[in-house]
Amino acid sequence: MAVENNFINGIQERGYIKIGLPPYNTPPAYYIDPKTKELSGYDVDFARKLASELEVDVKFYRNSKDFNDLVRRVGAKEFDLAMGKLGTTYERLFNAFPVQYMKLRHAILANRQSLEKNDLRSGLPDFGDRLKNSSIRIGRMGGSIWDTEVRRVFPNAKIIKFKDWGEVKEALFEGRVDAIYRDATEIKAIVYQDPNLAIQYVPILFEDELTMTSIFMSESGKFGFSDFLKFFIDREWGEIKNDSAIFEEFQDYYNSLSKFQP
């Protein structure tokens, strides 16, 4: 008698895989293309290719409240998988099971004058430790891993929560915070958009702080689908990608952000 995989069989009998995505636009990972009005990005392409290997269609669900809610919902079996640059934290492991497919460095974009006022000069040999133990004001996005990670990395900082990434960036440029915190792909993208920002703001990447970025699933998904997913990542994705690989593969996208294209 053949042993069946009930999780995969259920997807195939339904005829489509249910993928939960965050309710944001985060190019080049996942976003509504302004030209085509279609959902696009490398996470979207990943999901569609995965569906093709299962010989089913894919349906995307983008109605979660935030990143944390998305992970909770997949753990409650509302989707088959949840993805979209989802970092792994202890809190999320209470709700769902991860399979890693990226690792991204942590980064901040800081106001140069604010750093100098706090006696934080990048030339100092202990700059990294001094920065992490400083009391600067850092903006972060609510409902994300940065809620917990920024407090872990910057235990003495004044942490200010904002609704979304747009509000976080606005707070920095309006002087309401000294720095903003997220992964390297998001921080460097801001500088790509306007290289002149480098006059007033400095991006700082932390080589010793990495986010384990994962695809999440329920307990039944862990036992029924994690091996298939890991094989797919190895065969189709090629490796657990870091932010340098993302920049290299999507260099055309990042270059297109610049306001100063020839």
Side-chain angles (χ1 to χ4, degrees):
M1 182 177 66
V3 177
E4 295 186 347
N5 186 319
N6 292 328
F7 188 84
I8 291 178
N9 287 349
I11 293 172
Q12 292 178 324
E13 290 173 4
R14 185 197 305 139
Y16 60 92
I17 185 170
K18 297 188 288 187
I19 303 288
L21 284 175
Y24 311 107
N25 285 321
T26 305
Y30 53 91
Y31 61 101
I32 300 296
D33 188 298
K35 295 180 179 178
T36 66
K37 309 302 180 184
E38 298 290 333
L39 188 60
S40 304
Y42 59 75
D43 274 331
V44 175
D45 292 341
F46 182 107
R48 287 174 174 152
K49 176 62 175 174
L50 180 64
S52 73
E53 295 299 333
L54 291 167
E55 299 181 345
V56 297
D57 293 328
V58 58
K59 288 189 178 182
F60 295 100
Y61 298 80
R62 305 188 69 207
N63 59 346
S64 296
K65 182 174 66 175
D66 52 38
F67 297 103
N68 292 336
D69 184 50
L70 175 58
V71 175
R72 179 196 63 77
R73 292 180 68 192
V74 75
K77 302 181 181 180
E78 294 185 39
F79 320 117
D80 299 311
L81 302 176
M83 59 189 301
K85 290 182 66 183
L86 297 171
T88 304
T89 63
Y90 288 119
E91 289 78 6
R92 288 183 179 175
L93 292 174
F94 297 155
N95 295 317
F97 297 84
V99 171
Q100 185 179 11
Y101 71 124
M102 290 193 292
K103 55 181 179 181
L104 306 176
R105 287 173 291 180
H106 294 202
I108 66 170
L109 185 64
N111 184 296
R112 292 180 185 274
Q113 290 185 345
S114 296
L115 293 182
E116 291 175 2
K117 288 179 181 178
N118 285 274
D119 197 27
L120 296 168
R121 294 183 296 278
S122 58
L124 297 173
D126 59 346
F127 171 73
D129 289 337
R130 290 168 63 91
L131 177 60
K132 288 182 178 181
N133 288 288
S134 69
S135 58
I136 63 173
R137 301 169 300 165
I138 302 178
R140 50 82 174 172
M141 185 167 48
S144 71
I145 69 162
W146 309 109
D147 282 340
T148 52
E149 291 296 88
V150 70
R151 297 181 189 280
R152 178 182 64 80
V153 178
F154 296 89
N156 301 317
K158 181 180 180 181
I159 310 301
I160 304 173
K161 182 174 77 170
F162 297 93
K163 178 182 177 181
D164 55 40
W165 189 230
E167 290 188 2
V168 174
K169 292 186 288 186
E170 186 177 87
L172 176 65
F173 299 142
E174 292 180 352
R176 290 181 280 140
V177 296
D178 302 312
I180 57 177
Y181 192 63
R182 206 173 173 185
D183 70 76
T185 64
E186 300 298 332
I187 293 298
K188 291 182 72 174
I190 299 172
V191 180
Y192 268 97
Q193 287 179 300
D194 186 354
N196 285 336
L197 289 174
I199 298 172
Q200 187 173 353
Y201 304 94
V202 55
I204 302 167
L205 278 59
F206 297 95
E207 301 292 340
D208 58 341
E209 298 291 348
L210 295 173
T211 291
M212 174 181 165
T213 306
S214 303
I215 297 167
F216 284 85
M217 61 196 77
S218 65
E219 185 174 14
S220 57
K222 169 184 166 59
F223 290 106
F225 201 65
S226 60
D227 287 342
F228 187 100
L229 183 57
K230 289 174 183 176
F231 182 79
F232 177 86
I233 291 170
D234 182 63
R235 177 69 63 87
E236 307 295 339
W237 193 242
E239 60 184 346
I240 294 177
K241 296 187 189 298
N242 57 31
D243 49 84
S244 295
I246 295 296
F247 280 118
E248 182 177 346
E249 291 186 28
F250 297 93
Q251 189 64 50
D252 288 346
Y253 165 76
Y254 287 105
N255 287 339
S256 74
L257 295 177
S258 176
K259 297 178 181 178
F260 304 99
Q261 298 181 69

